[in-house]
Amino acid sequence: MNSFRAKLAAPLRRGEFEDLRGLVIDEPIELEAALLPNLDFSGTVFNAPLTLRDAVFQGLAWFIDCTFNAAVTFTGVRFLSDGRFDRARFHRGATFSGAEFQGVACFDQAEFGDAADLDRITCYGNLSLDRARFAGPVSLVDTQCFGGLWCNQTAFLARADIRGLEVHGRTWLVGAALGEQTSAPAVNRLAGSIRRYGYLWT
């Protein structure tokens, strides 16, 4: 664990990344306002809470194929590049309130088994939820997507609160589901609650 924490504290090295792939982490991690280097956690399993408040990912931030068996908190975190959570499995609460993504916020095929707080997020790239599945309530309140919103076949199986959600650019809701409904009226209700400044596909 000491070598793991040393990698988190390493300085940013351009063109290189700290390899944290495929680990099993059983101890809680709590960092506040930390400057983080290029980190690749692909395939890692977190069995204890991961709490990163106001931290800054200065480069690579890959959590692809990760399993989170405890709550995760990314409140106020800044991603200076893409934040990659493709195929991540969040079995407990996932909080990204107030996070900033200067690249793409990618949650393609992610599974959220509990509440997901994606409120007040600022995405300068695309917010991508392609085939993501939200089994619990999700909040996108006051989130701003300057690069578009991609909800291709996204499943919102419980309550989805999207008050104040703004999308600048393409809004793609093809195949999205509210509850168990994939009907046009259900998707149109979702689209009608989004403040859009670009094209819409349903």
Side-chain angles (χ1 to χ4, degrees):
M1 183 58 72
N2 288 336
S3 61
F4 164 77
R5 292 190 179 277
K7 289 184 177 183
L8 292 180
L12 178 68
R13 298 179 295 161
R14 300 291 180 185
E16 300 181 44
F17 68 92
E18 306 302 325
D19 190 353
L20 298 166
R21 294 175 292 181
L23 301 178
V24 176
I25 299 174
D26 294 318
E27 296 182 20
I29 299 169
E30 184 167 353
L31 297 172
E32 186 165 348
L35 288 176
L36 300 170
N38 292 313
L39 297 173
D40 187 353
F41 283 100
S42 296
T44 286
V45 176
F46 294 86
N47 289 323
L50 173 62
T51 305
L52 303 175
R53 289 191 179 90
D54 300 320
V56 179
F57 286 90
Q58 300 175 87
L60 197 72
W62 282 15
F63 293 86
I64 299 167
D65 283 315
C66 281
T67 299
F68 300 96
N69 289 320
V72 299
T73 302
F74 286 82
T75 301
V77 168
R78 294 176 62 205
F79 297 85
L80 301 190
S81 185
D82 298 343
R84 298 289 303 275
F85 294 86
D86 320 44
R87 299 181 300 279
R89 294 164 294 280
F90 299 90
H91 294 300
R92 295 291 183 266
T95 301
F96 288 83
S97 300
E100 177 183 302
F101 295 82
Q102 295 189 9
V104 173
C106 185
F107 295 91
D108 292 350
Q109 300 182 62
E111 297 180 7
F112 294 84
D114 204 338
D117 292 319
L118 306 178
D119 56 302
R120 298 181 290 106
I121 289 177
T122 302
C123 297
Y124 292 102
N126 191 34
L127 173 55
S128 188
L129 302 172
D130 189 293
R131 289 168 287 169
R133 181 181 178 88
F134 295 89
V138 55
S139 173
L140 287 158
V141 171
D142 293 335
T143 282
Q144 297 186 74
C145 306
F146 290 100
L149 174 66
W150 187 264
C151 287
N152 184 64
Q153 299 183 48
T154 304
F156 300 100
L157 301 179
R159 183 175 61 87
D161 190 346
I162 58 174
R163 291 170 297 165
L165 172 61
E166 282 191 8
V167 180
H168 300 256
R170 174 181 58 189
T171 301
W172 184 279
L173 301 175
V174 176
L178 285 175
E180 297 298 332
Q181 302 180 55
T182 57
S183 63
V187 175
N188 287 338
R189 285 200 306 274
L190 181 64
S193 300
I194 300 172
R195 189 177 301 134
R196 304 186 313 275
Y197 301 92
Y199 292 109
L200 168 67
W201 282 265
T202 59

